Amino acid sequence: MKKKLIATLVAGAVLSTGLIGLTACGGGGLEKGEEVTKEDWAKAFTATIELKNFTAETVSESSATATGSVDTGSGKVEVTVKTDSSSKSAQYIDIDGGKIYMTAEEAIKIEGANKALGEILATSLNINDRDEKTNTAYYVVKEGEVIYSADNDNDENKWDADESGELVNNLYHILGYESYSTEETGKEQALSALYDAFTYSSGFYTATLWQYGYETKVTVSVKGGYVVGLQTEATVDMKANEYNPLDTKGTNKQTFKITKIGSTTVTPSDDAKKAVEDYKAS
């Protein structure tokens, strides 16, 4: 039981600081935008969330180091858990045209987790030491009243298809659902309501906000009535406490860019199309 408790605490530290599985940005600059009024700022967020045809690129880069001692049940052990992760994805969305295609690459390296948790728990919690890269893809197509989806998100990199999926974008989760505050313990609000917290200069709006208890630099680019870029850079410095046995320091940079609004053509891979055709013929 004690080992399970320690594993849970370490896992909480790892997950809460973005040591694994962070989504959305890092390399590449945002497109320069334009200065807008407070009213047009809010309208731009609404208009972007409602988009039905666009291309979205996301890149995520994070790194963290957690240090301290854990009680394995047979004595305390000094541990250092290091994690570096990155991901890059491209989404091609044409909801009215009945197609969505997404590709993604992810890399993750974790060192020290097995010593902190033990081999069995580290593996069962999926925070075990590893250095791996994965590639995935996803395809949704509507034909008549039927929606088909196919993906190769599995260990064999084999495409599977069935009748499922939805023709929706995920922009609400990125631009509408995520909330920030202007102070560490302040009221959290959507970015669309925080216009006054930002300063405009040379095509970009910037602000230092708080999210999940971490100071976060946020950059927004607004152009042509849409939010065409969002970048967040967070710094984590969390001391060990009764719930978290490790001191943790890390950084996370996420970048999200929208292009080809209203002019995106969805062109899935041949394997994606074949998976759907094979399913229909089965």
Side-chain angles (χ1 to χ4, degrees):
M1 181 63 71
K2 178 176 285 189
K3 284 189 176 182
K4 183 175 182 181
L5 174 60
I6 295 298
T8 301
L9 295 176
V10 175
V14 170
L15 292 171
S16 66
T17 56
L19 284 172
I20 61 173
L22 287 168
T23 60
C25 170
L30 301 179
E31 180 183 3
K32 282 189 175 182
E34 55 205 19
E35 191 170 10
V36 296
T37 65
K38 185 175 184 177
E39 181 181 9
D40 287 339
W41 168 277
K43 287 182 178 179
F45 275 88
T46 299
T48 306
I49 290 171
E50 295 175 350
L51 280 173
K52 294 185 178 182
N53 181 285
F54 62 93
T55 296
E57 299 173 68
T58 65
V59 182
S60 173
E61 296 174 343
S62 66
S63 63
T65 301
T67 59
S69 61
V70 296
D71 190 341
T72 64
S74 57
K76 288 189 175 182
V77 176
E78 295 297 319
V79 299
T80 298
V81 182
K82 295 182 178 180
T83 300
D84 292 286
S85 67
S86 64
S87 63
K88 179 172 64 175
S89 70
Q91 299 179 60
Y92 309 93
I93 310 290
D94 184 8
I95 294 176
D96 288 339
K99 289 183 180 181
I100 294 176
Y101 185 58
M102 182 273 287
T103 61
E105 302 173 11
E106 183 177 6
I108 184 169
K109 183 176 182 180
I110 302 177
E111 300 175 285
N114 289 45
K115 183 178 180 180
L117 303 176
E119 296 285 344
I120 296 176
L121 284 175
T123 300
S124 65
L125 290 169
N126 199 31
I127 311 177
N128 54 298
D129 293 349
R130 61 187 188 274
D131 185 356
E132 61 187 26
K133 297 180 180 180
T134 58
N135 293 276
T136 59
Y138 180 64
Y139 176 47
V140 178
V141 58
K142 183 177 182 180
E143 297 182 4
E145 297 301 316
V146 181
I147 296 179
Y148 301 95
S149 68
D151 68 69
N152 69 344
D153 187 14
N154 52 66
D155 294 337
E156 295 81 21
N157 197 32
K158 178 182 177 182
W159 281 86
D160 294 313
D162 57 25
E163 295 180 31
S164 66
E166 294 180 289
L167 287 168
V168 296
N169 68 51
N170 64 351
L171 296 181
Y172 174 76
H173 297 284
I174 297 170
L175 300 177
Y177 178 78
E178 293 289 339
S179 58
Y180 302 79
S181 60
T182 56
E183 299 176 352
E184 184 174 5
T185 58
K187 176 184 177 182
E188 293 187 347
Q189 301 178 78
L191 287 176
S192 59
L194 290 172
Y195 175 84
D196 291 334
F198 284 81
T199 300
Y200 177 82
S201 178
S202 303
F204 302 102
Y205 283 89
T206 59
T208 298
L209 303 174
W210 291 84
Q211 186 182 45
Y212 308 127
Y214 308 132
E215 191 173 71
T216 304
K217 179 182 177 182
V218 182
T219 303
V220 177
S221 178
V222 180
K223 187 175 182 179
Y226 298 101
V227 177
V228 296
L230 169 64
Q231 186 171 85
T232 62
E233 299 175 76
T235 300
V236 176
D237 189 353
M238 185 169 60
K239 299 298 182 181
N241 53 55
E242 60 179 314
Y243 304 107
N244 168 26
L246 305 177
D247 292 330
T248 307
K249 292 185 178 181
T251 59
N252 173 39
K253 185 178 181 181
Q254 305 181 9
T255 303
F256 178 74
K257 298 187 289 185
I258 294 179
T259 59
K260 296 184 179 179
I261 296 173
S263 62
T264 291
T265 299
V266 179
T267 306
S269 68
D270 290 339
D271 287 340
K273 292 187 289 185
K274 184 176 185 301
V276 172
E277 293 304 315
D278 287 348
Y279 172 80
K280 289 161 59 179
S282 64

